[in-house]
Amino acid sequence: MKKYDAIVIGFGKGGKTLAGALGAAGKQVALIERSPAMYGGTCINVGCIPSKSLVHSAALSKVQGGSFAEKAARYREAIAEKRRLTGALRQKNYDKLAGNPNVQVIDGTASFLGPHAVQVTDGAGQVQLLWGENIFLNTGSHPFVPPIPGLQGNPRVYLSEGLLDLEELPRRLAIIGGGYIGMEFASLYTSFGSQVTVIQDGGRFLPREDGEIAQAVLQRLQGLGAEVLLSTQVKEVREEGAQAVLALETPDGPRDLQADAVLVATGRRPNVEGLALDAAGVELTERGAVKVDEQLRTTAPHIWAMGDVVGGLQFTYISLDDSRIVRSQLLGDGSRTTQNRGAVPNSVFLDPAFSRVGLSEEEARAKGYRVKVARLAAAAIPKAQVLQNPAGLLKAVVDGETGQILGAHLFCEESYEMINLVKLAMDAGLPYTALRDGIYTHPTMSEALNDLFAALS
């Protein structure tokens, strides 16, 4: 049994960053990854990076227009470029750690034999036994597939990573699930030229988002040609020749929907199966995530967990920040926790992008704040006109007593860059006037913060 100072299970953002830091500090580290196709984690290989590569290609294709055959040809080129990009990044991630003399990358599936003992089984069935003084879980998550008859084993049904590798552009795409992933794929494939139908069982579109913004996103998707079915259940998916048929129960009664491809986008679940966590004394939450404290320590004092496997926000930058929290305990002053990382922004790469940070108006009022609200149509922003995409709405929520920014919801071009300015102001405790009176370059989308926050005056 080979001994290590640290065993990291999972080559995701948090795991690889922590492994590199510990190796640089002179610790002997084993980094275990069950699939060589996942060096670097979900984001690089089957998540953020490949989907954003296709989003970019779709935007270019939308401008070029043409027949469906021409769009399908550009889509195949986009898939090829996506594969080139992810392959290069995957290799770069591997080389960076494999080149560290203190880090050993081990391919195989890990499971605990005891509190410090880990068994790794490779694809050929060969077993290695490892001992780690400290152990870190960064195993990520996997798509959840609801128990709908006909989903399993249907060749026309895809999870997000499978659809991202589909070489033929589907003429008709059905998306089961109206969350972030479903919306991003709806916008992406609509821009490429597919006829997209989104099916959501709930009656409110984007129920966790600000109501005004959610309505603006819905109207934009519909304007782009997507169909969105609310309060609709998928009862069955049948394979009929070269297509799938979804049996739906809508508010208006039963309906059959034909599709060339079906995307299941109904959320994700932590990857804990097969780890034998009970052998290590690691407990799970009621929702099946690894239970951790605010320093990401599990119920076993020498084992930590990072990223999607702990539940909560499933963003690669959260996994990165998790690694900072753990690193603070091992190599720093221990001051970093999940409670002091500040406001957490997020972006959904629609057409245009939607980004938010902090509270919605409804959430702020429910918490008892005396709320002031500012709104600005994206069409009023000169740079949005320059980019020929003036769709969208910007909204800010401010504490009327202190002037502190409580939240911002930006549905406009380049909002994914703008939102970081708002986060910085919120974390620094700056009043909204700092953004209202800021000097920004022109023409940019960021200068819209002048007008947005001026609307509060």
Side-chain angles (χ1 to χ4, degrees):
M1 182 179 290
K2 189 169 183 180
K3 294 188 175 182
Y4 293 89
D5 297 311
I7 296 175
V8 180
I9 303 175
F11 205 138
K13 186 69 171 180
K16 69 180 183 183
T17 305
L18 183 63
L22 293 176
K27 305 294 185 182
Q28 294 300 305
V29 182
L31 176 57
I32 304 167
E33 174 53 54
R34 65 182 177 183
S35 171
M38 290 297 290
Y39 294 146
T42 295
C43 180
I44 285 175
N45 295 289
V46 295
C48 319
I49 297 299
S51 64
K52 303 316 171 284
S53 175
L54 291 181
V55 165
H56 175 69
S57 296
L60 297 177
S61 180
K62 180 183 173 185
V63 172
Q64 292 174 287
S67 66
F68 183 83
E70 291 171 321
K71 295 174 183 177
R74 292 196 292 267
Y75 174 78
R76 285 191 291 273
E77 293 173 356
I79 292 294
E81 168 57 20
K82 182 269 302 183
R83 289 173 177 167
R84 182 206 65 77
L85 174 62
T86 56
L89 291 175
R90 183 165 55 247
Q91 187 64 48
K92 181 178 180 181
N93 272 264
Y94 175 80
D95 291 344
K96 184 176 182 179
L97 285 178
N100 186 322
N102 294 327
V103 178
Q104 182 181 5
V105 178
I106 301 173
D107 295 334
T109 301
S111 61
F112 283 95
L113 297 176
H116 291 273
V118 175
Q119 172 180 289
V120 182
T121 306
D122 66 18
Q126 299 296 313
V127 175
Q128 295 186 59
L129 300 181
L130 314 180
W131 186 94
E133 179 178 353
N134 292 312
I135 300 176
F136 309 91
L137 304 174
N138 188 221
T139 52
S141 60
H142 62 275
F144 168 71
V145 179
I148 298 172
L151 282 186
Q152 298 286 355
N154 192 318
R156 298 287 169 179
V157 175
Y158 299 88
L159 302 176
S160 57
E161 53 261 45
L163 193 62
L164 285 171
D165 219 29
L166 183 65
E167 294 184 348
E168 295 299 321
L169 178 66
R171 284 185 177 273
R172 296 164 299 180
L173 173 65
I175 300 177
I176 303 174
Y180 292 156
I181 295 175
M183 289 305 97
E184 192 163 287
F185 276 83
S187 179
L188 160 62
Y189 278 88
T190 298
S191 294
F192 263 123
S194 299
Q195 176 57 56
V196 176
T197 301
V198 179
I199 305 151
Q200 178 179 307
D201 57 4
R204 176 174 170 176
F205 182 72
L206 294 179
R208 297 182 181 179
E209 300 302 334
D210 182 275
E212 286 183 89
I213 297 293
Q215 188 62 27
V217 173
L218 175 59
Q219 292 174 352
R220 174 61 173 172
L221 284 173
Q222 292 171 331
L224 292 171
E227 181 183 24
V228 180
L229 303 177
L230 302 178
S231 300
T232 298
Q233 289 78 44
V234 181
K235 297 298 186 181
E236 181 187 17
V237 180
R238 305 188 304 271
E239 183 183 358
E240 294 186 2
Q243 63 187 10
V245 177
L246 293 80
L248 308 179
E249 187 62 44
T250 78
D252 298 322
R255 170 186 169 185
D256 279 355
L257 176 67
Q258 296 178 331
D260 302 296
V262 179
L263 170 65
V264 179
T266 49
R268 298 178 68 86
R269 299 290 186 270
N271 284 331
V272 296
E273 294 81 3
L275 286 171
L277 295 174
D278 54 341
V282 175
E283 298 177 10
L284 301 179
T285 67
E286 292 181 358
R287 298 179 62 85
V290 175
K291 184 185 294 187
V292 295
D293 62 17
E294 65 181 28
Q295 293 182 319
L296 299 173
R297 194 185 298 266
T298 72
T299 49
H302 62 287
I303 300 176
W304 288 259
M306 304 171 288
D308 291 4
V309 76
V310 304
L313 299 173
Q314 296 180 337
F315 304 124
T316 191
Y317 44 88
I318 292 297
S319 185
L320 172 62
D321 196 60
D322 284 352
S323 74
R324 297 185 185 121
I325 292 170
V326 175
R327 180 180 177 181
S328 174
Q329 297 169 62
L330 301 174
L331 303 176
D333 61 5
S335 61
R336 293 293 300 270
T337 76
T338 57
Q339 302 303 305
N340 62 17
R341 61 171 140 218
V344 178
N346 70 280
S347 294
V348 187
F349 286 71
L350 307 175
D351 177 13
F354 165 55
S355 305
R356 71 164 290 182
V357 65
L359 302 176
S360 68
E361 179 183 354
E362 297 97 318
E363 290 169 336
R365 293 191 186 281
K367 287 180 176 291
Y369 288 102
R370 187 168 66 84
V371 170
K372 295 174 68 175
V373 177
R375 298 172 182 85
L376 179 70
I381 307 171
K383 182 61 180 295
Q385 298 288 348
V386 170
L387 296 172
Q388 300 180 29
N389 193 1
L393 173 68
L394 292 75
K395 185 173 180 178
V397 182
V398 169
D399 185 338
E401 296 181 353
T402 66
Q404 296 296 302
I405 303 168
L406 300 175
H409 312 263
L410 312 180
F411 178 41
C412 62
E413 282 285 350
E414 300 182 359
S415 68
Y416 42 80
E417 300 288 358
M418 299 167 66
I419 203 67
N420 294 314
L421 283 174
V422 182
K423 172 198 163 44
L424 185 62
M426 292 175 67
D427 287 351
L430 299 177
Y432 77 91
T433 51
L435 295 181
R436 183 197 66 186
D437 301 335
I439 299 175
Y440 307 94
T441 53
H442 173 79
T444 61
M445 293 298 295
S446 294
E447 67 179 335
L449 297 174
N450 287 146
D451 294 334
L452 173 62
F453 285 100
L456 289 166
S457 301

